[in-house]
């Protein structure tokens, strides 16, 4: 992969995002929010892909890292009142970075003890950690506990969201294409063999967790300043599963596939909502004939999940965009 | 002292139900090396089966009564056994050759489906579970309170455990189950129909979950479609604690988790009750991943 | 690897184009012959039972009003969106209702945390929002477009329940058993403790449980050993019934008392005889209520086959007050509707006579009821 190309691509993407955010006021508030969700989903999915897809460590607690980042970033920006453009963006960048670092710390905490575990066990332990983080936040009065935390500044915009998504993709792709990447893939393919030939699997596994957690924390910060309200219940098992599904849908270890899956899965509930809202269908007399979709959205989602696993477990986009050599 | 004894009894009753659910987890894992995420929801369906069957059964056998309660229990167990077999047949069997991750996600999908479909069909509001067993206060000495429901839980759990032990150790099916859990290929070569054995295992595990559901509903008569999530998770932790794949271990794990949670909740702080199970899980996986009664399995390369 | 950045840029460009093509919906009168009102509630998920209740009450009100001719000569179109009890979704659906569907006003939500999520958005877009039953004081502090039709936890806990415990129950010491997962429960407990200790009462200890728990024997056994005079359970009926059952089974004979979260027919069906002699504060009482309330109960039962709980009653009143405000505003304009809501005085709702005060909260009396012979019986009224 041509390094010069990658850097140009990144800068190009950032420029596009900057332009996009300048036109943001023309965009319907609801769709703008959806775009933010897509961008945040992309960061979460790509970062989880590093852990699950490339390194083969099954993590079910990614939303927990997001929570750590979200709350950290929010606590920092809440200390400031109204700021001018430059100061606001500066503080925001710092807050996001801090959130990422805090989440990375959590990633270290989770990564190290779980080194010896494989497959199913690892999954449950990461799930457990995610839940523990949620319970701690719920009981921490300093961050509002069950009552939640209001975030004063809604600083997330298209530039930050998609810009950071581009940066995440760049960093993960660069990592994967370096010697680290070889290490990740070795751990993924056969951990015992890798150890046998002298690869320090510990180092690679922990690196994957920490980097993945860092970006999840950044995504959390973006999320906090988009929704402007945080509740511990919003970072539970269901959220973690959503990101895992994105990684699987996209084809594990397939960055483009995962990006597309993030878009798809974020827009799916909204798509179903739009379907349910349709006032009239030709040939059907009743009002809102697809209204029943509203109450059954989660049922449809879970059935889709089962059908997907039964029919195309390698992901929807596996064939088209296989990047692995 | 009475407070401690009371907490102990509370914990034992709660833990026994967890043990029943844990047995199902551990059996399926022993045979298939796979965590059936949907198991907690089968537990919930057992309770709902009892809820809808009880009025019908009451027309034949008077409720509450010991006989009537037994009929409801057995009926719920039968229904969930059938359900377990169905789920295995259509959601898990096609994926038997696939990587573990795929089946895990499918199991999560089945779990979510059962929960949300349950909310849709049964309604989200909690329902009062009818009284199917007569209740007698047993002891009221010096501040200690014990009633027949708790004794029933302990008694039925014990009976089911013994029954399960009999099936696994003394019957042909049980021997076949153990063969498949040791080495599926070899068992198949010896003429064991692995598909049938796996279905049988699911049926057995689901029946136990249903029994747990009925016992739970008898003691905590408010049932709702999401009631299986937390007990399911805690029962899984219990199974791992005892050594996953190990039957007495699951039972032991259930009781330990139940008692620990109750004692910590009563004496230290009830704030972090939910997190206790997970903390125990992480501790055990760090210290002795094969569980209390499990053997360290050498990993074949 | 060459293709990936190309694809990414292409996707970004496509998104931009899509974005530019989505016009903002003009809020207001809607299709000309309907007035669009938005509602967001937790219709599925872990708190579906409350969201569904609230929605049913609201829907009943809107249906009845439409059957009587609507308002300002137009029918009211209620656009309901489900937030699945999940954080983050309320913001999305409220944005959709405002930007894409063009509603003139918003109804919602039951849970304070989800109201707090949506309120800033409604405030920013100058769409009046009425919460039927969020009791956290912070909700209406978000801005002057945010209202509520229920009483505050500071009133219910700090005054109603604290006074009741001290003066009527004559309790010198109280143990609190709260739902640590629910902001309503935590808030109500906090205000009660402040008010109660301010009157000289003693809080023995605070015990916790999580909404969804079924086994409280550990906490109750510990409480029993502490010997308080009464136990405050400021939680929801989904757990209170079981708490009462288990308390009596353990030999605890102390009175339990709580807030309007207890209000539901499910409470008595689950708790049964264990609830005898327990008390709770609420908005209306079956034997002390107006003909309007009796009518509401009858119609609700006819339409849904079950008796309404306090969430349903408040959902109903929130819709009534909103439509009344639209009528008084004379035009389906969000700013004028906001002013009309703020000016609501002595509105005869089914949950009491409601006046919206200067903090946009409902000033209304609370009622203490008790359970006697399986029925809910009136005890006393406490005015604000």
């Amino acid at each position: 992969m041509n390094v010069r190309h990658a850097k140009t691509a990144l800068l190009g993407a950032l420029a596009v995002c900057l332009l996009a955010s300048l036109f943001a006021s023309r965009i319907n508030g609801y769709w703008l929010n959806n775009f933010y969700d897509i961008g945040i989903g992309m960061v979460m999915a790509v970062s989880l892909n590093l852990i699950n897809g490339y390194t083969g460590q099954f993590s079910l607690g990614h939303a927990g890292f997001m929570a750590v980042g979200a709350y950290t970033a929010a606590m920092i920006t809440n200390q400031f009142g109204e700021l001018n453009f430059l100061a606001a963006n500066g503080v925001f960048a710092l807050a996001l970075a801090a959130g990422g670092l805090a989440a990375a710390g959590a990633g270290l905490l989770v990564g190290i003890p779980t080194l010896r575990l494989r497959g199913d066990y690892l999954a449950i332990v990461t799930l457990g950690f995610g839940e523990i983080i949620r319970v701690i936040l719920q009981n921490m009065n300093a961050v509002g506990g069950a009552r939640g935390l209001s975030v004063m500044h809604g600083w997330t915009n298209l530039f930050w969201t998609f810009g950071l998504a581009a940066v995440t993709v760049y960093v993960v792709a660069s990592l994967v294409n370096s010697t680290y990447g070889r290490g990740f893939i070795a751990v993924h393919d056969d951990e015992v063999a890798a150890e046998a030939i002298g690869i320090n699997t510990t180092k690679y596994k922990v690196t994957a967790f920490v980097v993945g957690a860092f970006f999840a924390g950044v995504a959390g910060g973006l999320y906090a300043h988009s929704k402007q309200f945080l509740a511990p219940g919003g970072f539970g098992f269901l959220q973690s599963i959503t990101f895992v599904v994105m990684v699987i849908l996209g084809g594990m270890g397939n960055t483009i596939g995962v990006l597309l899956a993030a878009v798809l899965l974020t827009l799916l509930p909204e798509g179903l909502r739009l379907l349910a809202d349709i006032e009239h269908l030709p040939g059907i007399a009743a009002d809102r004939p697809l209204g029943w979709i509203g109450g059954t959205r989660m049922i449809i989602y879970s059935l889709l999940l089962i059908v997907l696993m039964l029919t195309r477990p390698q992901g929807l986009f596996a064939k088209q965009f296989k990047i692995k050599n | 002292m009475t407070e401690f004894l009371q907490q102990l009894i509370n914990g034992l009753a709660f833990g026994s139900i967890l043990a029943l659910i844990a047995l199902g987890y551990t059996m399926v894992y022993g045979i298939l090396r796979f965590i059936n995420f949907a198991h907690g929801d089968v537990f919930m369906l057992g309770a709902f089966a009892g809820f809808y069957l009880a009025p019908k059964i009451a027309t034949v056998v008077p409720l509450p009564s010991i006989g009537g309660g037994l009929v409801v229990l057995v009926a719920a167990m039968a229904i969930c056994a059938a359900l377990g077999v169905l789920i295995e047949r259509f959601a898990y069997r096609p994926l038997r050759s696939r990587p573990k991750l795929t089946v895990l996600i499918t199991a999560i999908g089945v779990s979510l489906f059962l929960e949300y479909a349950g909310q849709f069909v049964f309604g989200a509001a909690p329902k009062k579970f009818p009284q199917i067993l007569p209740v007698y206060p047993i002891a009221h000495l010096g501040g200690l309170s014990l009633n027949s429901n708790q004794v029933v839980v302990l008694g039925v759990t014990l009976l089911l455990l013994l029954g399960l032990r009999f099936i696994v150790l003394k019957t042909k099916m049980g021997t076949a189950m153990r063969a498949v859990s040791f080495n599926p290929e070899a068992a198949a070569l010896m003429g064991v129909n692995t598909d049938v054995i796996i279905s049988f295992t699911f049926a057995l595990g689901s029946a136990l979950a249903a029994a747990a559901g009925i016992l739970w509903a008898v003691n905590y008569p408010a049932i709702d479609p999401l009631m299986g999530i937390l007990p399911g998770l805690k029962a899984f932790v219990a199974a791992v604690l005892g050594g996953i794949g190990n039957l007495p271990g699951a039972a032991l794990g259930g009781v330990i988790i139940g008692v620990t949670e109750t004692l910590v909740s009563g004496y230290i702080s009830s704030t972090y009750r939910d997190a206790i199970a997970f903390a125990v899980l992480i501790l055990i996986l760090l210290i002795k991943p094969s569980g209390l009664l499990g053997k360290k399995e050498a990993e074949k390369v | 690897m060459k293709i990936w950045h190309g694809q990414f840029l292409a996707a970004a460009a496509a998104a931009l184009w899509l974005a530019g093509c989505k016009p903002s919906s003009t809020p207001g009168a809607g299709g000309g012959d309907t007035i669009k009102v938005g509602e967001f509630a937790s219709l599925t998920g872990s708190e579906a039972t409350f969201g569904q209740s609230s929605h049913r009450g609201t829907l009943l009100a809107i249906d009845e009003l439409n059957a009587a001719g609507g308002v300002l000569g137009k029918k009211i179109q209620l656009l309901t969106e489900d937030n699945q009890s999940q954080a983050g979704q309320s913001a999305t659906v409220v944005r959709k209702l405002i930007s894409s569907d063009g509603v003139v006003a918003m109804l919602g939500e039951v849970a304070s945390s989800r109201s707090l999520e949506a309120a800033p958005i409604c405030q920013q877009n100058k769409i009046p929002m009425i919460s039927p039953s969020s009791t956290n004081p912070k909700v209406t502090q978000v801005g002057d477009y945010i209202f509520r039709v229920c009483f505050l936890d500071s009133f219910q806990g700090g005054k109603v329940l604290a006074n009741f415990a001290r003066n009527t129950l004559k309790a010198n010491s109280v143990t609190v058993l709260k739902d640590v997962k629910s902001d309503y429960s935590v808030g109500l407990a906090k205000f009660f403790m402040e008010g109660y200790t301010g009157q000289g009462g003693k809080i023995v200890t605070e015990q916790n449980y999580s909404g969804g728990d079924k086994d409280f024997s550990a906490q109750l056994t510990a409480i029993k050993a502490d010997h308080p005079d009464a136990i405050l359970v400021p939680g929801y009926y989904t757990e209170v019934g079981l708490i009462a059952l288990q308390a009596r089974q353990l030999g605890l004979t102390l009175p339990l008392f709580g807030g309007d979260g207890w209000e539901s027919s499910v409470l008595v069906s689950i708790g049964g005889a264990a609830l005898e002699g327990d008390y709770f504060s609420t908005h209306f009482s079956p034997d002390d209520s107006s003909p309007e309330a009796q009518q509401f109960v009858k119609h609700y039962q006819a339409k849904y086959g079950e008796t309404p709980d306090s969430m349903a009653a408040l959902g109903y009143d929130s819709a009534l007050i909103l439509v009344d405000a639209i009528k008084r505003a004379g035009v389906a304009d969000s700013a004028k509707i906001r002013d009309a809501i703020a000016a609501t005085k002595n509105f005869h709702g089914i949950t009491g006579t409601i006046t919206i005060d200067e903090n946009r909260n409902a000033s209304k009396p609370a009622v203490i009821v008790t359970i006697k012979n399986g029925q809910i019986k009136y005890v006393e009224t406490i005015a604000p």
Side-chain angles (χ1 to χ4, degrees):
Chain A
M1 153 84 185
N2 201 320
V3 173
R4 212 168 23 96
H5 270 206
K7 289 220 168 79
T8 332
L10 177 64
L11 288 172
L14 286 173
V16 168
C17 296
L18 193 59
L19 264 168
S21 66
L22 292 175
F23 287 102
S25 51
R26 282 227 301 144
I27 305 172
N28 181 314
Y30 165 59
W31 282 100
L32 199 58
N33 183 51
N34 286 341
F35 289 144
Y36 296 154
D37 281 347
I38 290 175
I40 292 171
M42 283 180 172
V43 176
M44 290 299 290
V46 171
S47 61
L48 185 61
N49 193 22
L50 181 64
I51 303 177
N52 282 15
Y54 286 113
T55 320
Q57 303 299 297
F58 193 16
S59 170
L60 276 184
H62 216 48
F65 299 136
M66 189 180 178
V68 171
Y71 273 91
T72 308
M75 291 298 282
I76 292 179
T77 59
N78 271 355
Q79 307 299 322
F80 296 87
E82 278 303 315
L83 290 175
N84 65 51
F85 182 75
L86 225 57
N89 278 300
V91 172
F92 193 40
L94 274 167
L96 288 177
L101 285 170
L108 202 64
L109 224 63
V110 174
I112 292 182
T114 55
L115 290 176
R116 298 187 289 162
L117 302 172
R118 305 282 155 77
D120 295 347
Y121 283 164
L122 181 62
I124 299 299
V125 166
T126 49
L127 171 64
F129 265 110
E131 286 298 297
I132 289 181
I133 290 178
R134 180 187 60 77
V135 171
I136 292 179
L137 284 172
Q138 210 169 267
N139 288 293
M140 227 171 144
N141 270 311
V143 297
R147 273 154 296 158
L149 183 67
S150 283
V151 183
M152 285 201 290
H153 305 284
W155 283 336
T156 299
N157 58 31
L158 284 176
F159 169 66
W160 283 109
T161 313
F162 285 99
L164 281 170
V167 168
T168 311
V169 171
Y170 176 75
V171 170
V172 170
S174 306
L175 208 57
V176 166
N177 273 286
S178 68
T179 32
Y180 267 94
R182 301 291 180 266
F184 294 146
I185 295 171
V187 170
H188 170 259
D189 285 344
D190 193 328
E191 220 175 301
V192 181
E195 275 281 3
I197 62 170
I199 293 181
N200 187 345
T201 53
T202 309
K203 177 169 100 169
Y204 292 108
K205 286 201 274 189
V206 173
T207 307
F209 255 102
V210 170
V211 174
F214 175 81
F215 284 108
V218 170
L222 285 170
Y223 176 88
H225 294 84
S226 153
K227 306 285 179 187
Q228 290 190 260
F229 187 80
L230 297 174
F235 298 102
F237 179 56
L238 215 53
Q239 276 66 34
S240 292
I241 287 298
T242 309
F243 302 125
V244 170
V245 175
M246 284 182 195
V247 170
I248 295 190
L249 247 192
M252 316 252 286
N254 181 340
T255 306
I256 301 274
V258 166
L259 286 172
L260 289 172
V263 176
L264 196 66
L265 272 177
T266 312
L267 291 180
L268 184 65
E270 302 311 313
L272 285 176
R273 230 193 279 276
L274 286 176
L275 273 181
D277 273 353
I278 295 179
E279 297 288 332
H280 296 286
L281 274 183
I284 304 181
D287 232 11
R288 296 189 92 216
L290 294 173
W292 52 267
I293 291 183
T296 53
R297 248 187 311 140
M298 279 310 286
I299 300 182
I300 294 176
Y301 176 74
S302 53
L303 277 174
L304 277 176
L305 196 55
I306 299 174
V307 167
L308 184 73
M309 288 295 106
L310 286 173
T311 54
R312 243 191 112 90
Q314 71 272 34
L316 287 179
F317 309 105
K319 284 260 161 57
Q320 286 97 331
F321 299 112
K322 206 83 176 94
I323 299 174
K324 263 183 68 166
N325 42 322
Chain B
M1 190 53 190
T2 35
E3 191 191 344
F4 180 73
L5 275 177
Q6 182 70 67
Q7 297 284 33
L8 209 59
I9 295 174
N10 299 337
L12 270 173
F14 180 62
S16 305
I17 302 182
L18 287 184
L20 281 177
I21 308 175
L23 284 169
Y25 273 118
T26 222
M27 282 200 292
V28 168
Y29 192 87
I31 300 262
L32 282 177
R33 298 282 180 278
F34 144 68
I35 302 169
N36 182 8
F37 253 95
H39 196 60
D41 301 293
V42 175
F43 156 85
M44 174 269 291
L45 286 173
F48 272 91
F51 175 77
Y52 285 107
L53 282 176
K56 307 252 170 19
I57 292 179
T59 58
V60 181
V61 183
L63 284 175
S65 67
I66 299 190
L70 214 59
V71 173
V72 174
L73 182 68
V74 172
M77 285 171 79
I79 292 181
C80 284
L83 189 67
V85 171
L86 265 169
I87 295 178
E88 191 274 325
R89 176 74 188 75
F90 290 109
Y92 304 150
R93 190 181 297 185
L95 299 172
R96 229 174 272 156
S97 54
R98 301 280 193 180
K100 286 296 156 42
L101 193 53
T102 312
V103 201
L104 203 62
I105 300 294
T106 313
I108 293 176
V110 173
S111 170
L112 288 174
F113 174 72
L114 290 175
E115 283 158 21
Y116 284 98
Q119 278 202 326
F120 188 72
V121 172
F122 306 137
K127 294 187 166 34
K128 156 98 167 139
F129 191 79
Q131 201 190 351
I132 57 173
L133 285 174
V135 185
Y136 308 106
I138 301 228
H140 239 115
L141 8 110
L144 198 61
S145 272
L146 186 66
N147 69 26
S148 58
N149 276 341
Q150 288 161 311
V151 176
V152 166
V153 169
L154 293 171
V156 173
T157 306
L158 217 58
L159 279 171
L160 287 173
L161 264 174
L162 290 172
L164 187 67
R165 196 179 150 77
F166 176 78
I167 293 180
V168 170
L169 291 179
K170 299 282 200 306
T171 66
K172 218 159 152 207
M173 280 298 239
T175 319
M177 274 170 70
R178 281 182 292 138
V180 174
S181 80
F182 276 133
N183 192 331
E185 288 94 7
L189 287 172
M190 299 294 283
V192 172
N193 186 337
T194 25
D195 282 349
V196 168
I197 295 300
I198 291 176
S199 293
F200 180 73
T201 311
F202 267 88
L204 216 52
S206 304
L208 287 174
I214 297 287
L215 289 173
W216 179 277
V218 163
N219 274 286
Y220 314 115
I223 60 172
D224 68 271
L226 300 183
M227 68 188 266
I229 300 178
L230 228 42
L233 228 43
K234 291 179 185 173
F236 175 73
V237 175
V240 172
L241 177 63
I244 194 138
N246 185 311
L247 291 179
L252 182 66
V255 170
I256 293 181
I257 295 267
V259 172
T260 312
E261 236 191 61
T262 309
L263 288 178
V264 173
S265 193
Y267 284 107
I268 301 180
S269 163
S270 41
T271 315
Y272 292 94
R273 183 172 179 156
D274 272 357
I276 289 170
F278 288 113
V280 169
L281 174 72
I282 292 172
L283 274 171
I284 201 74
L285 284 179
L286 293 181
I287 303 174
K288 192 168 193 281
S290 49
L292 292 173
L293 298 183
K295 292 178 296 267
K296 212 161 160 56
E297 243 183 50
E299 190 170 333
K300 298 209 178 94
V301 181
Chain C
M1 263 306 201
K2 287 216 176 94
I3 50 168
W4 71 262
H5 48 266
Q7 298 279 7
F8 189 63
L9 286 178
L16 252 184
W17 177 80
L18 241 185
C21 286
K22 280 276 169 283
S24 269
S25 221
T26 39
D33 56 346
T34 60
I35 296 182
K36 291 191 187 168
V37 167
E39 182 199 7
F40 67 107
S42 51
L43 299 174
T44 55
S46 54
E47 299 189 19
T49 146
F50 307 131
Q52 282 177 8
S53 276
S54 170
H55 170 63
R56 286 189 186 148
T58 304
L59 191 58
L60 184 63
I62 301 286
D63 282 348
E64 286 178 355
L65 287 163
N66 276 338
V71 69
L72 300 180
K74 302 188 187 149
K75 294 268 187 243
I76 308 154
Q77 193 182 10
L78 181 69
L79 296 168
T80 310
E81 290 291 349
D82 176 19
N83 57 36
Q84 298 182 308
S85 315
Q86 278 180 43
Q89 289 231 6
S90 298
T92 306
V93 300
V94 162
R95 279 192 219 273
K96 171 177 176 288
L97 286 167
I98 295 178
S99 306
S100 289
D101 297 318
V103 298
V104 300
M106 194 74 66
L107 290 171
E109 222 249 21
V110 169
S112 297
S113 58
R114 292 192 287 272
S115 288
L116 279 170
E117 194 184 305
I121 302 171
C122 290
Q123 179 67 28
Q124 255 168 37
N125 288 285
K126 305 239 183 298
I127 300 283
M129 175 177 130
I130 302 185
S131 164
S133 44
S134 289
T135 48
N136 187 326
K138 283 212 245 167
V139 173
T140 44
Q141 287 167 9
V142 169
D144 60 347
Y145 270 79
I146 316 296
F147 301 85
R148 75 177 104 217
V149 296
C150 54
F151 35 59
L152 289 177
D153 281 337
S154 44
F155 170 61
Q156 190 180 191
K159 187 163 173 201
V160 176
L161 289 174
N163 286 1
F164 173 74
R166 204 81 185 93
N167 305 331
T168 314
L169 274 186
K170 308 248 188 283
N172 289 317
S173 61
V174 165
T175 293
V176 176
L177 177 60
K178 64 184 189 296
D179 178 349
V180 76
K181 225 181 184 175
S182 150
D183 49 355
Y184 159 76
S185 186
V186 172
L188 191 56
K190 175 170 117 114
F191 287 113
F192 170 81
M193 290 191 282
E194 280 169 17
Y196 184 67
T197 47
Q199 291 193 36
K202 182 164 118 63
I203 301 289
V204 179
T205 153
E206 286 173 63
Q207 292 280 355
N208 302 307
Y209 64 91
S210 278
D213 277 354
K214 300 286 198 282
D215 181 72
F216 311 94
S217 45
Q219 294 93 321
L220 289 167
T221 307
I223 292 177
K224 186 174 164 192
D226 287 336
H227 302 295
D229 288 337
I231 309 176
L232 173 71
V233 190
Y236 288 112
Y237 57 85
T238 37
E239 282 80 44
V240 172
L242 285 177
I243 292 177
L245 265 179
Q246 289 170 21
R248 301 305 173 225
Q249 270 170 18
L250 284 170
L252 267 171
T253 49
L254 319 162
L256 274 62
F257 65 109
D260 64 328
W262 284 38
E263 171 93 59
S264 163
S265 55
V266 175
L267 176 77
V268 181
S269 91
I270 293 180
L275 288 165
E276 289 292 312
D278 292 337
Y279 303 88
F280 62 99
S281 59
T282 181
H283 311 268
F284 70 168
S285 144
D287 48 346
D288 175 55
S289 51
S290 52
E292 290 113 349
Q294 303 280 14
Q295 274 251 336
F296 163 69
V297 174
K298 212 166 70 187
H299 289 167
Y300 189 95
Q301 217 150 15
K303 183 164 176 163
Y304 301 113
E306 47 187 51
T307 42
D309 59 15
S310 62
M311 253 68 77
L314 287 167
Y316 187 85
D317 265 355
S318 65
L320 283 186
I321 288 190
L322 176 63
V323 175
D324 180 72
I326 297 178
K327 192 157 76 181
R328 280 182 281 124
V331 62
D333 169 78
S334 295
K336 297 223 162 54
I337 295 175
R338 185 224 88 85
D339 293 335
I341 301 175
T344 306
K345 273 212 169 14
N346 296 323
F347 180 87
H348 287 292
I350 55 156
T351 59
T353 305
I354 302 171
T355 297
I356 302 287
D357 66 19
E358 68 272 6
N359 294 316
R360 295 172 303 285
N361 300 315
S363 180
K364 62 203 270 202
V367 166
I368 303 265
V369 296
T370 182
I371 296 120
K372 222 189 190 83
N373 300 326
Q375 302 278 7
I376 299 194
K377 291 257 172 285
Y378 168 81
V379 173
E380 62 185 19
T381 309
I382 304 189

